[in-house]
Amino acid sequence: MEVPFFELKSQYQQIKPDIDHAIQDVFESGNFIRGEKVAAFENEFAKTIGTRHCIGVGNGTDALFLILNAYGIGAGDEVITPAFSWISSSETISQCGARPVFADIDPDYYTLDPVAVEKKITPRTKAIIVVHLYGQSANMDVLLTLCKKYGLKLIEDCAQSHLSKYKNKIVGSIGDAAAFSFYPTKNLGAYGDAGCITTNDDSIVESIRRFANHGALLKDDHTIEGINSRLDELQAAILSVKLKYLTGWTQDRVGHANQYFEKLKNQENIVLPKIQDNTAHSFHLFVIQSKEREALKLFLEKCGILTAIHYPKALHNLIAYHHLIHPSEEFPASNTLENTVLSLPIYPGLSSQQIEFVCEKIQTFYSGN
Ligand SMILES: *Cc1c(COP(=O)(O)O)cnc(C)c1O
C-alpha cells in the first residue's frame, strides 16, 4: 500500500464539475482582478469566521505583513512571535522594519506559552503574533488579558487553523486581526497562492485595501505608495466552491485524527498530540513526537508511507536569525520539537485502511520489526 503525505487530485475529482464551471465563468467574464468573485468570497468567508470584514490578499504572508503595517508597526518596534512556527510569522515583522522577538511555546500544545511571552514584553513591544499551530487554537484568554494589560495588538496567524475553535468562537475572530493562507495544501486551499485578512477592527480595513492595491482605493487615486497583493477572481471563484465543503473536510480530518489516537494510544514510545480544553482542533497536521524520529521516518518511507517534518529547525536556530543572538536555552520546548516532531499523513481523502496501515507500521517499528 502507498500512503502519500498529501494528495490533491482526488479532491479535484470530487468537486470537478463545480470547479470547472467556476473557472469557466471567470474566463468568460473577462474580469480577473478586483471583481465580483472576490467580493462574494470575502462576504462568505467573513460570515464563516464571524467577523465584519474579510480582505482578500495575495497570500498568507502578505496578510500578516499588511496587518502589521496597518497598525503602524515599524522601525524601533518589537513584536513577539513563537520560536516554533513557519518563517512567515517572523519574517513579516522584519519586513515592516520592526524586530521579531521569539517566545517559547507550550511543550504540550505547541502554541505560545503566555508566561514566556510576558517575560519578553518591553516598552518597545507593539504586538503579539499568535500562531494556531497544526490547527489547534492557542490559549487566547490569557493572551488577550496580556495584550489588554500592556496595550498590545493581538494578531492571529490562522494559516493552519481554518474553522478551529476557542470556546465556541472560530479563530480569526478573536484577536484584533487575523491572517489566513489559502496555499494549496492548507485546509482551505486555492489552486495557487492566495490569502485573506479577517477583522472586526473597522479602522484598518480601508488602509489595508489601499496599501495592498498600490496605495489606491479607486483607480488612479494613489494617496500613498503601496504594494500589489490581491486575491484574484480565479482563486476567489475556486475558494467559494471549496468553502462549501470545508466543514465536511474538517470533520473528515478530525475523524482521521481520532482513528490515529485510537490505534496509537498504547504506543508509549511516541507522544500523541494533546488537545487543549475548550478548543476544537482542525488537524491541519497530525504531529507526533518520537525520539527515534529519523529512523522511524526512514522505516515508514520504506513501507511506502510518506511523512514530513514541521519544522526541522526552530526559528531562533535558523541562519536567518543568527543576528538576533537569542540564547538557545530560552526555548527548551522549541529545541525539543525540532528534533522529535513527525507529521503523519492527514487529509480528507485518506482512507481508514491507509491510516490502519500507517499505525501498524509504527507498531512494527517499535516492536523491533
Ligand atoms: C502557510 C503558512 C503561512 C504563509 O502562508 P502563504 O500563503 O504560504 O504565504 C503563514 N504562517 C503559517 C503558520 C503557515 O503555515
Side-chain angles (χ1 to χ4, degrees), residues 73-218:
I73 289 162
D77 296 334
E78 294 176 355
V79 178
I80 298 173
T81 193
F84 202 80
S85 178
W86 175 242
I87 194 167
S88 298
S89 49
S90 51
E91 69 183 346
T92 47
I93 301 168
S94 311
Q95 269 165 31
C96 292
R99 178 184 163 93
V101 174
F102 295 120
D104 205 8
I105 50 167
D106 181 290
D108 286 331
Y109 305 115
Y110 313 146
T111 47
L112 268 182
D113 170 8
V115 176
V117 169
E118 191 164 15
K119 286 188 192 147
K120 298 282 180 157
I121 296 174
T122 74
R124 292 167 178 261
T125 310
K126 291 286 162 8
I128 296 172
I129 294 181
V130 58
V131 182
H132 307 301
L133 198 70
Y134 305 150
Q136 166 144 265
S137 170
N139 189 340
M140 293 302 279
D141 278 351
V142 186
L143 291 170
L144 282 167
T145 307
L146 270 185
C147 285
K148 222 173 176 177
K149 182 172 165 191
Y150 294 96
L152 312 176
K153 297 294 178 197
L154 185 56
I155 299 165
E156 295 177 79
D157 180 340
C158 298
Q160 304 189 359
S161 58
H162 310 74
L163 300 192
S164 305
K165 284 187 191 162
Y166 179 79
K167 292 192 172 169
N168 292 325
K169 271 193 141 179
I170 297 190
V171 302
S173 67
I174 304 169
D176 291 282
F180 283 87
S181 167
F182 304 122
Y183 184 82
T185 60
K186 300 287 160 100
N187 286 22
L188 178 61
Y191 292 138
D193 276 314
C196 80
I197 293 161
T198 57
T199 184
N200 284 317
D201 184 348
D202 303 334
S203 75
I204 56 169
V205 175
E206 204 178 287
S207 64
I208 290 177
R209 286 197 184 280
R210 184 183 288 282
F211 194 82
N213 186 50
H214 304 289
L217 267 181
L218 307 167

Side-chain angles (χ1 to χ4, degrees), residues 267 269 299 360-369:
Q267 181 46 261
N269 293 296
F299 177 81
E360 257 171 41
K361 293 299 170 191
I362 291 174
Q363 305 291 14
T364 308
F365 174 80
Y366 280 110
S367 64
N369 306 330

Side-chain angles (χ1 to χ4, degrees), residues 21-76:
H21 183 259
I23 290 173
Q24 204 176 349
D25 227 28
V26 173
F27 282 2
E28 280 169 5
S29 79
N31 206 355
F32 297 95
I33 304 283
R34 275 162 61 94
E36 60 191 39
K37 303 282 186 196
V38 172
F41 174 73
E42 288 177 338
N43 281 329
E44 292 156 11
F45 198 71
K47 229 177 257 158
T48 303
I49 300 304
T51 52
R52 276 199 298 284
H53 309 284
C54 169
I55 307 159
V57 298
N59 55 70
T61 308
D62 281 357
L64 283 169
F65 168 74
L66 286 160
I67 295 168
L68 291 164
N69 187 66
Y71 282 126
I73 289 162

